[in-house]
Amino acid sequence: MTDTPMLNEWYPVGILTQLTKAGRDTLLMGEAINVACDSLGAPVVSAEDGRTLPVRARYGHVWTSLGSPTKELFDIPEADQPGRRLVDVGVVRVKCSPLRAVENFLDIAHFPFVHTDILGAEPHTEVQRYEVQIREEVDEVWATKVKFYQPQAAKSAAGGITTDYMYRVPAPTVSILYKTCPPRPGEWDVITLFVQPMAEDLCQVWPWMALFDDQTPMTDLIHFQQMIFLQDRSILENQLPRLLPLDPGMEIPTRADMTSVAYRRWLKRHGFTYGAQLVAA
Amino acid sequence: MALSRDVPPQVVIPTFVDGRELAVWRSQSGRIAAWDDRCPHRGMRLSHGFVRGESLSCIYHGWSYNEAGLCQRIPAHPDLVPPEAIRVPTVAAVESDGIIWVASEPASQPPPTLTGLVALRSLTVEAPATAIATAAGMPIDQDGALRPDLAGIACVLLVQPIPGDRTVLHVLVASNASPAAQAAVSRALEDLRRRVESERLAA
Amino acid sequence: MILYDYILSPDCYKVRLLAALTGARITLRPVDFHPGGEHKTAPFLAMNPSGTIPIFEDDGLILTESSAILTYLAAKAGPAWLGDDTPAMRGRVAQWLAFSQRLSASIGKARVHDMLNKPADIQACRRAGTQCLREIEAALVEQRLAGHAFLAGDRPTIADIACFPHSMLAPDGGISVDPYPSIRLWTRSIRALPGFIEMPGIHRLHDLKPEPGPIPERV
């Protein structure tokens, strides 16, 4: 069944600097599309039936939609802030629900066990109380005042620090993380997870970053983020059920999962159910 | 469903009973347990988890469960006593003669006696049990076993059907078989599997 | 000693792992393999015309095959890892080093297909990968019957390092490792070695660490 609210959303389908005229075939919500560029280098996305799909070129990526977007692509003001390095991390395919990929990105309690000695380590496993809200005026999920002890929070971090985080969900398959910036106290590093839903249980993930870090070579930044995401991949491919359960009863949240609870509630409210299951199986 | 030797202390393995996915694990003190292969928190497979002492922990968030399947620790909230409602469904598991047996329903009878035998290995065949019985030239007996001679050695092949029309064979040989003879049986099993699978491919 | 390295490459990881296990000091030079394709650029092709990584450089010597790098690094930093106690053991080590190429060509290819969208005949790769895992499983059974816990003998050698990463990472390419109890125990004993390091997709053994504190008590 086609999910109309999600059909009208924007999705990442390619890296702007890697487009070719011949294009690349991929899938968006089960539909075959081709992502290419014209002779001037502008992105062109076409569907199998010949339709030309709407396109946006933003945050290093090509964005498109199978439907008629009612909203403009979300804004990340930090993307235009001078002094930031913009990092295209590259695509990773995962056999999981696109919504499970986003939910995992919103989770900090797994750091000591999945990103051991990098983003977390025993015995520093406690998740302090933080704040979560659905900001009605912008219709986004926000988690703020999140704190976690990290042995090596970023490529530029020398030792363990308590890192501050904020999370933002501006679209059903997009999550933006704001994180303590070791070289520039007072600023936030921006790390995003842009997810392309290929099918309800298959997605492509395009992480992207806007960092204040003049020191670390670009390749090291890319490897660090790929390492983190690939540690998550073996988790994401082994969750049951494959689809994200939106109704309570199937999974048991705790206080540390408040962001996930709000995300699921927000998805359900909007009918964003591509990759979700509504009734406990 | 597994050889005892393949599940030493602190090891967790995935398996099936009646199509249901299970995590079977052995505690540090040697206790064997069979649970649903799913953490109630976020649905992660517990067969990817880790064993400390007498408890099994999920690899995702480290939630740990005691021998009864009851959640006893949530690392994100170290001081919290988890509600008793957080538990993993368990099934009965017993060990006898070097084999681990599980039953999703209360078993009406104990597992068959397999004395005078030693467990050799388990191997998965991409074919249903009936195809293996045909290739072995004998029916599966009331113990769920085939009893062919392989490489001149009397063998017992315990048959475990698993989803996807596949079968796991848990193989025991006479306990007086030398290591070289056991290796010959292992090669004969590979040969049996090749025959069964190529016949299936041809059909 | 310089290793031109990619964090997600099992062949690069073999070298990092052996260096960690032997205490050898190597300098890592990250290569933008994905998405940049830096290994196919002129400076890298000048070092390695085949356009692959790892590339290993030491004192003018350049090696580009992971099995050759393992052999060189072991000879230099930990000769016991060469496993040349007897002609038979030496033969087995060489056998598995050569075999590891089949793992790269099957499981390795399936993995970059499923993960990074690289082209491959995925069904053929998975079939070949499954066949490789079955061969390792059968070999480990026979090694056990001979009283040996590792591929070439009673202690780990570069044969194990060469075959370990792909054997664990097969699920990344849609190849199950569930049917192989001997591979499970063998990979566990490698992960338990002192100095072991992980790579994404190969988690460390959390069970080697004690619980960090007492279990909260029910009152």
Side-chain angles (χ1 to χ4, degrees), chain A residues 15 18 24 88-93 95 112-114 116-117 122-123 204 219-220 222-223 226-227 230-231 233-235 237, chain C residues 5-8 30-36 38 113-117 171-174 198 200-201 203-204 206 209 212:
Chain A
I15 291 182
Q18 297 203 331
R24 200 175 56 82
D88 300 334
V89 176
V91 66
V92 178
R93 199 161 95 195
K95 285 188 283 288
F113 302 98
V114 179
T116 312
D117 290 347
E122 292 180 284
Q204 288 193 138
T219 301
D220 293 56
I222 293 172
H223 282 202
Q226 287 188 357
M227 171 179 74
L230 268 291
Q231 289 177 332
R233 187 175 182 267
S234 61
I235 301 289
E237 296 197 338
Chain C
D5 182 42
Y6 178 44
I7 186 78
L8 302 184
V31 180
D32 184 7
F33 179 90
H34 174 80
E38 191 183 4
H113 172 275
D114 276 17
M115 236 166 60
L116 306 179
N117 288 317
D172 281 350
E198 63 232 342
H203 291 286
R204 76 176 61 179
H206 290 294
K209 260 199 282 187

Short mmCIF file of all heavy atoms in Angstrom, two decimals, chain A residues 15 18 24 88-93 95 112-114 116-117 122-123 204 219-220 222-223 226-227 230-231 233-235 237, chain C residues 5-8 30-36 38 113-117 171-174 198 200-201 203-204 206 209 212:
data_model
loop_
_atom_site.label_atom_id
_atom_site.label_comp_id
_atom_site.label_asym_id
_atom_site.label_seq_id
_atom_site.Cartn_x
_atom_site.Cartn_y
_atom_site.Cartn_z
N ILE A 15 24.92 11.98 -4.33
CA ILE A 15 25.86 13.03 -3.93
C ILE A 15 26.06 13.96 -5.12
O ILE A 15 26.32 13.50 -6.24
CB ILE A 15 27.21 12.41 -3.47
CG1 ILE A 15 27.01 11.67 -2.15
CG2 ILE A 15 28.28 13.49 -3.32
CD1 ILE A 15 28.29 11.06 -1.60
N GLN A 18 29.06 13.71 -7.45
CA GLN A 18 29.32 12.44 -8.12
C GLN A 18 28.30 12.10 -9.21
O GLN A 18 28.22 10.96 -9.65
CB GLN A 18 29.36 11.31 -7.09
CG GLN A 18 30.51 11.49 -6.10
CD GLN A 18 30.93 10.19 -5.45
OE1 GLN A 18 30.13 9.29 -5.28
NE2 GLN A 18 32.20 10.10 -5.07
N ARG A 24 22.62 7.12 -12.49
CA ARG A 24 22.70 5.92 -11.69
C ARG A 24 21.27 5.48 -11.38
O ARG A 24 20.43 6.31 -11.04
CB ARG A 24 23.43 6.26 -10.38
CG ARG A 24 24.02 5.10 -9.61
CD ARG A 24 24.81 5.63 -8.41
NE ARG A 24 23.99 6.46 -7.55
CZ ARG A 24 23.16 5.99 -6.62
NH1 ARG A 24 23.04 4.71 -6.42
NH2 ARG A 24 22.45 6.82 -5.88
N ASP A 88 30.83 14.99 2.69
CA ASP A 88 29.97 13.94 2.12
C ASP A 88 30.57 12.61 2.55
O ASP A 88 31.65 12.24 2.11
CB ASP A 88 29.99 14.00 0.59
CG ASP A 88 29.48 15.33 0.04
OD1 ASP A 88 28.69 15.98 0.73
OD2 ASP A 88 29.89 15.70 -1.07
N VAL A 89 29.87 11.89 3.40
CA VAL A 89 30.45 10.67 3.97
C VAL A 89 30.32 9.48 3.00
O VAL A 89 31.12 8.54 3.06
CB VAL A 89 29.82 10.37 5.34
CG1 VAL A 89 30.34 9.06 5.91
CG2 VAL A 89 30.11 11.51 6.31
N GLY A 90 29.34 9.54 2.09
CA GLY A 90 29.17 8.42 1.15
C GLY A 90 28.00 7.56 1.55
O GLY A 90 27.56 7.56 2.69
N VAL A 91 27.52 6.78 0.59
CA VAL A 91 26.29 6.02 0.82
C VAL A 91 26.59 4.65 1.41
O VAL A 91 27.61 4.04 1.11
CB VAL A 91 25.51 5.86 -0.50
CG1 VAL A 91 26.27 5.00 -1.49
CG2 VAL A 91 24.12 5.30 -0.25
N VAL A 92 25.71 4.20 2.29
CA VAL A 92 25.78 2.84 2.82
C VAL A 92 24.37 2.24 2.74
O VAL A 92 23.40 2.87 3.15
CB VAL A 92 26.26 2.80 4.29
CG1 VAL A 92 26.25 1.37 4.80
CG2 VAL A 92 27.65 3.40 4.41
N ARG A 93 24.29 1.04 2.17
CA ARG A 93 22.99 0.38 2.05
C ARG A 93 22.77 -0.52 3.25
O ARG A 93 23.70 -1.19 3.70
CB ARG A 93 22.94 -0.42 0.76
CG ARG A 93 21.54 -0.76 0.33
CD ARG A 93 21.54 -1.13 -1.13
NE ARG A 93 21.63 -2.56 -1.27
CZ ARG A 93 21.94 -3.16 -2.42
NH1 ARG A 93 22.19 -2.45 -3.50
NH2 ARG A 93 22.00 -4.46 -2.50
N LYS A 95 19.89 -3.35 5.09
CA LYS A 95 18.65 -4.11 5.00
C LYS A 95 17.84 -3.88 6.27
O LYS A 95 17.81 -4.71 7.17
CB LYS A 95 18.95 -5.61 4.84
CG LYS A 95 19.45 -5.98 3.45
CD LYS A 95 19.55 -7.49 3.27
CE LYS A 95 20.78 -8.09 3.93
NZ LYS A 95 22.06 -7.83 3.33
N PRO A 112 27.91 2.62 24.58
CA PRO A 112 28.96 1.81 25.23
C PRO A 112 29.08 0.40 24.67
O PRO A 112 30.14 -0.22 24.82
CB PRO A 112 28.51 1.77 26.69
CG PRO A 112 27.56 2.90 26.86
CD PRO A 112 26.88 3.06 25.53
N PHE A 113 28.02 -0.10 24.05
CA PHE A 113 28.02 -1.51 23.62
C PHE A 113 28.28 -1.67 22.13
O PHE A 113 28.82 -2.68 21.70
CB PHE A 113 26.68 -2.15 24.01
CG PHE A 113 26.45 -2.07 25.50
CD1 PHE A 113 25.66 -1.07 26.04
CD2 PHE A 113 27.10 -2.94 26.36
CE1 PHE A 113 25.49 -0.96 27.41
CE2 PHE A 113 26.94 -2.83 27.73
CZ PHE A 113 26.13 -1.84 28.26
N VAL A 114 27.90 -0.68 21.35
CA VAL A 114 28.05 -0.80 19.89
C VAL A 114 29.23 0.05 19.39
O VAL A 114 29.91 -0.33 18.45
CB VAL A 114 26.73 -0.41 19.18
CG1 VAL A 114 26.87 -0.51 17.67
CG2 VAL A 114 25.59 -1.30 19.66
N THR A 116 31.97 0.92 21.31
CA THR A 116 32.75 0.79 22.53
C THR A 116 34.08 1.53 22.45
O THR A 116 34.83 1.37 21.48
CB THR A 116 32.99 -0.70 22.82
OG1 THR A 116 31.75 -1.39 22.69
CG2 THR A 116 33.56 -0.91 24.21
N ASP A 117 34.37 2.29 23.48
CA ASP A 117 35.62 3.06 23.63
C ASP A 117 35.73 4.21 22.63
O ASP A 117 36.77 4.84 22.53
CB ASP A 117 36.86 2.16 23.52
CG ASP A 117 37.00 1.25 24.74
OD1 ASP A 117 36.29 1.49 25.73
OD2 ASP A 117 37.80 0.30 24.68
N GLU A 122 31.61 1.26 29.17
CA GLU A 122 31.25 0.91 30.53
C GLU A 122 32.35 1.42 31.46
O GLU A 122 33.52 1.41 31.06
CB GLU A 122 31.10 -0.61 30.66
CG GLU A 122 29.91 -1.17 29.89
CD GLU A 122 29.82 -2.68 30.06
OE1 GLU A 122 30.63 -3.40 29.42
OE2 GLU A 122 28.97 -3.12 30.83
N PRO A 123 32.10 1.83 32.67
CA PRO A 123 30.81 1.83 33.35
C PRO A 123 29.98 3.10 33.13
O PRO A 123 28.97 3.28 33.79
CB PRO A 123 31.22 1.71 34.82
CG PRO A 123 32.50 2.49 34.90
CD PRO A 123 33.19 2.27 33.57
N GLN A 204 19.03 3.33 1.90
CA GLN A 204 20.38 3.82 1.73
C GLN A 204 20.55 5.01 2.65
O GLN A 204 19.68 5.87 2.73
CB GLN A 204 20.65 4.19 0.29
CG GLN A 204 20.76 2.93 -0.54
CD GLN A 204 21.32 3.15 -1.92
OE1 GLN A 204 22.12 2.36 -2.37
NE2 GLN A 204 20.91 4.19 -2.60
N THR A 219 39.76 12.73 4.71
CA THR A 219 39.58 11.28 4.67
C THR A 219 39.41 10.70 6.08
O THR A 219 38.61 9.78 6.29
CB THR A 219 40.79 10.62 3.96
OG1 THR A 219 40.86 11.17 2.65
CG2 THR A 219 40.62 9.12 3.87
N ASP A 220 40.13 11.25 7.04
CA ASP A 220 39.96 10.77 8.42
C ASP A 220 38.55 11.05 8.93
O ASP A 220 37.96 10.23 9.64
CB ASP A 220 40.96 11.46 9.36
CG ASP A 220 42.40 11.08 9.06
OD1 ASP A 220 42.82 11.27 7.91
OD2 ASP A 220 43.09 10.58 9.98
N ILE A 222 35.84 11.25 7.11
CA ILE A 222 34.95 10.31 6.42
C ILE A 222 35.06 8.92 7.06
O ILE A 222 34.05 8.29 7.38
CB ILE A 222 35.31 10.24 4.92
CG1 ILE A 222 34.98 11.57 4.24
CG2 ILE A 222 34.57 9.09 4.24
CD1 ILE A 222 35.47 11.67 2.80
N HIS A 223 36.30 8.47 7.29
CA HIS A 223 36.48 7.14 7.87
C HIS A 223 35.87 7.05 9.26
O HIS A 223 35.26 6.03 9.61
CB HIS A 223 37.98 6.80 7.96
CG HIS A 223 38.56 6.38 6.65
ND1 HIS A 223 39.69 5.63 6.54
CD2 HIS A 223 38.16 6.61 5.37
CE1 HIS A 223 39.98 5.41 5.26
NE2 HIS A 223 39.06 6.01 4.54
N GLN A 226 32.11 6.74 8.83
CA GLN A 226 31.77 5.43 8.26
C GLN A 226 31.95 4.32 9.28
O GLN A 226 31.14 3.40 9.38
CB GLN A 226 32.64 5.16 7.02
CG GLN A 226 32.24 5.99 5.81
CD GLN A 226 32.98 5.57 4.55
OE1 GLN A 226 33.83 4.69 4.57
NE2 GLN A 226 32.67 6.23 3.45
N MET A 227 33.03 4.43 10.06
CA MET A 227 33.25 3.44 11.11
C MET A 227 32.06 3.39 12.07
O MET A 227 31.53 2.32 12.37
CB MET A 227 34.54 3.77 11.87
CG MET A 227 34.76 2.94 13.11
SD MET A 227 36.29 3.37 13.95
CE MET A 227 35.84 4.93 14.70
N LEU A 230 28.91 1.97 10.32
CA LEU A 230 29.00 0.53 10.01
C LEU A 230 28.95 -0.33 11.27
O LEU A 230 28.59 -1.50 11.21
CB LEU A 230 30.25 0.24 9.19
CG LEU A 230 30.05 0.27 7.67
CD1 LEU A 230 29.19 -0.92 7.25
CD2 LEU A 230 29.42 1.56 7.17
N GLN A 231 29.29 0.25 12.41
CA GLN A 231 29.09 -0.50 13.66
C GLN A 231 27.60 -0.66 13.94
O GLN A 231 27.18 -1.67 14.51
CB GLN A 231 29.79 0.23 14.83
CG GLN A 231 31.30 0.14 14.75
CD GLN A 231 32.02 0.92 15.84
OE1 GLN A 231 31.50 1.90 16.36
NE2 GLN A 231 33.22 0.49 16.19
N ARG A 233 25.31 -0.91 11.58
CA ARG A 233 24.64 -1.66 10.51
C ARG A 233 24.30 -3.08 10.94
O ARG A 233 23.21 -3.58 10.65
CB ARG A 233 25.51 -1.67 9.26
CG ARG A 233 24.84 -2.26 8.03
CD ARG A 233 25.75 -2.10 6.81
NE ARG A 233 25.16 -2.60 5.58
CZ ARG A 233 25.35 -3.84 5.11
NH1 ARG A 233 26.09 -4.69 5.79
NH2 ARG A 233 24.81 -4.22 3.98
N SER A 234 25.22 -3.75 11.66
CA SER A 234 24.95 -5.14 12.03
C SER A 234 23.84 -5.22 13.08
O SER A 234 23.19 -6.25 13.22
CB SER A 234 26.22 -5.82 12.53
OG SER A 234 26.71 -5.17 13.68
N ILE A 235 23.62 -4.13 13.81
CA ILE A 235 22.46 -4.09 14.71
C ILE A 235 21.18 -3.95 13.88
O ILE A 235 20.24 -4.73 14.02
CB ILE A 235 22.57 -2.89 15.69
CG1 ILE A 235 23.85 -2.97 16.53
CG2 ILE A 235 21.31 -2.78 16.55
CD1 ILE A 235 23.89 -4.03 17.57
N GLU A 237 20.38 -4.64 10.96
CA GLU A 237 19.95 -5.76 10.11
C GLU A 237 19.46 -6.94 10.93
O GLU A 237 19.07 -7.96 10.38
CB GLU A 237 21.09 -6.16 9.16
CG GLU A 237 21.44 -5.03 8.19
CD GLU A 237 22.24 -5.46 6.97
OE1 GLU A 237 22.89 -6.51 7.04
OE2 GLU A 237 22.20 -4.72 5.96
N ASP C 5 45.36 2.69 4.14
CA ASP C 5 44.34 1.96 4.89
C ASP C 5 42.94 2.46 4.59
O ASP C 5 42.72 3.65 4.37
CB ASP C 5 44.67 2.17 6.38
CG ASP C 5 43.74 1.43 7.30
OD1 ASP C 5 43.43 0.27 7.00
OD2 ASP C 5 43.33 2.00 8.34
N TYR C 6 41.99 1.52 4.62
CA TYR C 6 40.57 1.91 4.61
C TYR C 6 39.89 1.19 5.77
O TYR C 6 39.98 -0.04 5.88
CB TYR C 6 39.92 1.53 3.27
CG TYR C 6 38.44 1.84 3.19
CD1 TYR C 6 37.95 3.06 3.67
CD2 TYR C 6 37.55 0.95 2.64
CE1 TYR C 6 36.60 3.35 3.61
CE2 TYR C 6 36.19 1.23 2.56
CZ TYR C 6 35.73 2.43 3.06
OH TYR C 6 34.39 2.72 3.00
N ILE C 7 39.19 1.95 6.58
CA ILE C 7 38.63 1.42 7.84
C ILE C 7 37.67 0.26 7.62
O ILE C 7 37.55 -0.64 8.45
CB ILE C 7 37.96 2.58 8.63
CG1 ILE C 7 37.50 2.14 10.02
CG2 ILE C 7 36.79 3.19 7.89
CD1 ILE C 7 38.60 2.04 11.01
N LEU C 8 36.98 0.23 6.45
CA LEU C 8 35.98 -0.82 6.22
C LEU C 8 36.54 -2.00 5.43
O LEU C 8 35.80 -2.93 5.12
CB LEU C 8 34.77 -0.24 5.47
CG LEU C 8 34.05 0.92 6.16
CD1 LEU C 8 32.82 1.31 5.34
CD2 LEU C 8 33.64 0.55 7.57
N PRO C 30 45.07 6.97 5.88
CA PRO C 30 43.71 6.68 5.38
C PRO C 30 43.55 7.04 3.91
O PRO C 30 44.01 8.08 3.47
CB PRO C 30 42.83 7.57 6.27
CG PRO C 30 43.67 7.87 7.47
CD PRO C 30 45.08 7.92 6.99
N VAL C 31 42.90 6.16 3.17
CA VAL C 31 42.64 6.36 1.73
C VAL C 31 41.14 6.55 1.55
O VAL C 31 40.34 5.75 2.07
CB VAL C 31 43.10 5.12 0.92
CG1 VAL C 31 42.83 5.31 -0.56
CG2 VAL C 31 44.58 4.83 1.17
N ASP C 32 40.74 7.56 0.80
CA ASP C 32 39.32 7.80 0.56
C ASP C 32 38.82 6.85 -0.53
O ASP C 32 38.61 7.22 -1.67
CB ASP C 32 39.10 9.27 0.16
CG ASP C 32 37.62 9.59 -0.02
OD1 ASP C 32 36.77 8.72 0.30
OD2 ASP C 32 37.30 10.71 -0.47
N PHE C 33 38.65 5.59 -0.12
CA PHE C 33 38.20 4.52 -1.02
C PHE C 33 36.76 4.77 -1.45
O PHE C 33 36.39 4.62 -2.61
CB PHE C 33 38.33 3.20 -0.26
CG PHE C 33 37.88 1.97 -1.00
CD1 PHE C 33 38.78 1.25 -1.77
CD2 PHE C 33 36.58 1.51 -0.90
CE1 PHE C 33 38.38 0.11 -2.44
CE2 PHE C 33 36.16 0.37 -1.57
CZ PHE C 33 37.08 -0.34 -2.34
N HIS C 34 35.92 5.11 -0.46
CA HIS C 34 34.50 5.38 -0.69
C HIS C 34 34.10 6.58 0.15
O HIS C 34 34.39 6.59 1.34
CB HIS C 34 33.68 4.15 -0.29
CG HIS C 34 32.19 4.36 -0.35
ND1 HIS C 34 31.50 4.30 -1.53
CD2 HIS C 34 31.29 4.65 0.61
CE1 HIS C 34 30.22 4.53 -1.28
NE2 HIS C 34 30.06 4.73 0.00
N PRO C 35 33.53 7.61 -0.40
CA PRO C 35 33.03 7.71 -1.79
C PRO C 35 34.07 8.20 -2.80
O PRO C 35 33.78 8.23 -3.99
CB PRO C 35 31.91 8.73 -1.65
CG PRO C 35 32.33 9.62 -0.52
CD PRO C 35 33.11 8.76 0.43
N GLY C 36 35.28 8.58 -2.36
CA GLY C 36 36.21 9.32 -3.23
C GLY C 36 36.88 8.52 -4.34
O GLY C 36 37.27 9.08 -5.35
N GLU C 38 39.83 7.24 -4.18
CA GLU C 38 41.20 7.75 -4.22
C GLU C 38 42.22 6.67 -4.63
O GLU C 38 43.25 6.98 -5.21
CB GLU C 38 41.57 8.32 -2.84
CG GLU C 38 42.85 9.11 -2.81
CD GLU C 38 43.22 9.58 -1.41
OE1 GLU C 38 42.52 9.23 -0.44
OE2 GLU C 38 44.23 10.29 -1.29
N HIS C 113 29.10 -5.10 -2.58
CA HIS C 113 27.87 -4.98 -3.37
C HIS C 113 26.71 -4.56 -2.46
O HIS C 113 26.02 -3.58 -2.73
CB HIS C 113 27.55 -6.31 -4.06
CG HIS C 113 26.20 -6.34 -4.73
ND1 HIS C 113 25.04 -6.65 -4.04
CD2 HIS C 113 25.82 -6.07 -6.00
CE1 HIS C 113 24.01 -6.57 -4.88
NE2 HIS C 113 24.47 -6.22 -6.07
N ASP C 114 26.52 -5.29 -1.38
CA ASP C 114 25.36 -5.04 -0.52
C ASP C 114 25.50 -3.75 0.30
O ASP C 114 24.51 -3.15 0.68
CB ASP C 114 25.17 -6.21 0.45
CG ASP C 114 24.38 -7.35 -0.18
OD1 ASP C 114 24.28 -7.38 -1.42
OD2 ASP C 114 23.87 -8.21 0.57
N MET C 115 26.74 -3.37 0.57
CA MET C 115 26.97 -2.24 1.47
C MET C 115 27.19 -0.95 0.72
O MET C 115 26.67 0.09 1.07
CB MET C 115 28.22 -2.55 2.30
CG MET C 115 28.00 -2.49 3.76
SD MET C 115 29.39 -3.26 4.64
CE MET C 115 30.75 -2.26 4.11
N LEU C 116 28.04 -1.02 -0.32
CA LEU C 116 28.50 0.20 -0.98
C LEU C 116 28.06 0.27 -2.44
O LEU C 116 28.56 1.10 -3.21
CB LEU C 116 30.03 0.31 -0.89
CG LEU C 116 30.64 0.20 0.53
CD1 LEU C 116 32.16 0.30 0.47
CD2 LEU C 116 30.09 1.28 1.45
N ASN C 117 27.12 -0.61 -2.84
CA ASN C 117 26.56 -0.55 -4.19
C ASN C 117 27.56 -0.82 -5.31
O ASN C 117 27.38 -0.33 -6.42
CB ASN C 117 25.93 0.83 -4.46
CG ASN C 117 24.65 1.00 -3.69
OD1 ASN C 117 23.84 0.09 -3.62
ND2 ASN C 117 24.46 2.16 -3.07
N PRO C 171 27.83 -11.89 6.87
CA PRO C 171 26.46 -11.37 6.89
C PRO C 171 26.31 -9.99 6.24
O PRO C 171 25.25 -9.66 5.73
CB PRO C 171 26.13 -11.29 8.40
CG PRO C 171 27.01 -12.32 9.03
CD PRO C 171 28.29 -12.28 8.23
N ASP C 172 27.38 -9.20 6.22
CA ASP C 172 27.34 -7.90 5.52
C ASP C 172 26.98 -8.07 4.05
O ASP C 172 26.48 -7.15 3.42
CB ASP C 172 28.72 -7.22 5.58
CG ASP C 172 28.98 -6.55 6.92
OD1 ASP C 172 28.05 -6.44 7.73
OD2 ASP C 172 30.13 -6.13 7.14
N GLY C 173 27.28 -9.25 3.49
CA GLY C 173 26.99 -9.51 2.08
C GLY C 173 25.82 -10.46 1.91
O GLY C 173 25.65 -11.06 0.86
N GLY C 174 25.02 -10.62 2.98
CA GLY C 174 23.84 -11.47 2.88
C GLY C 174 24.16 -12.95 2.94
O GLY C 174 23.38 -13.78 2.47
N GLU C 198 39.14 -4.56 16.97
CA GLU C 198 37.96 -4.86 16.17
C GLU C 198 37.94 -4.00 14.90
O GLU C 198 38.77 -3.11 14.73
CB GLU C 198 36.70 -4.62 16.98
CG GLU C 198 36.51 -3.18 17.40
CD GLU C 198 36.26 -3.00 18.90
OE1 GLU C 198 35.90 -3.95 19.57
OE2 GLU C 198 36.45 -1.87 19.36
N PRO C 200 34.58 -2.29 12.15
CA PRO C 200 33.12 -2.21 12.08
C PRO C 200 32.54 -3.51 11.50
O PRO C 200 33.01 -3.98 10.47
CB PRO C 200 32.89 -1.04 11.13
CG PRO C 200 34.12 -0.20 11.25
CD PRO C 200 35.24 -1.17 11.47
N GLY C 201 31.56 -4.07 12.19
CA GLY C 201 30.98 -5.35 11.77
C GLY C 201 31.52 -6.52 12.58
O GLY C 201 30.95 -7.59 12.59
N HIS C 203 32.30 -7.10 16.35
CA HIS C 203 32.25 -6.52 17.70
C HIS C 203 33.23 -7.25 18.61
O HIS C 203 33.53 -8.41 18.41
CB HIS C 203 30.84 -6.62 18.27
CG HIS C 203 29.86 -5.72 17.58
ND1 HIS C 203 29.83 -4.37 17.77
CD2 HIS C 203 28.88 -5.99 16.68
CE1 HIS C 203 28.88 -3.84 17.02
NE2 HIS C 203 28.28 -4.81 16.34
N ARG C 204 33.68 -6.55 19.62
CA ARG C 204 34.56 -7.20 20.58
C ARG C 204 33.74 -8.09 21.50
O ARG C 204 32.51 -8.01 21.52
CB ARG C 204 35.33 -6.16 21.38
CG ARG C 204 34.50 -5.48 22.45
CD ARG C 204 35.34 -4.54 23.26
NE ARG C 204 35.89 -3.47 22.41
CZ ARG C 204 36.65 -2.48 22.88
NH1 ARG C 204 36.96 -2.45 24.15
NH2 ARG C 204 37.08 -1.54 22.09
N HIS C 206 32.27 -8.59 24.66
CA HIS C 206 31.95 -7.89 25.91
C HIS C 206 31.98 -8.85 27.10
O HIS C 206 32.08 -8.42 28.24
CB HIS C 206 30.57 -7.24 25.82
CG HIS C 206 30.51 -6.07 24.89
ND1 HIS C 206 31.18 -4.89 25.12
CD2 HIS C 206 29.86 -5.89 23.71
CE1 HIS C 206 30.94 -4.03 24.14
NE2 HIS C 206 30.14 -4.62 23.27
N LYS C 209 34.80 -8.77 29.77
CA LYS C 209 34.81 -7.76 30.83
C LYS C 209 33.83 -8.16 31.92
O LYS C 209 32.79 -8.75 31.63
CB LYS C 209 34.38 -6.40 30.26
CG LYS C 209 35.55 -5.47 29.96
CD LYS C 209 35.11 -4.03 29.86
CE LYS C 209 34.46 -3.70 28.53
NZ LYS C 209 34.16 -2.29 28.34
N PRO C 212 29.96 -4.06 35.36
CA PRO C 212 30.56 -2.88 35.97
C PRO C 212 30.14 -2.62 37.42
O PRO C 212 30.78 -1.83 38.09
CB PRO C 212 30.10 -1.74 35.06
CG PRO C 212 28.91 -2.27 34.37
CD PRO C 212 29.04 -3.75 34.28
#
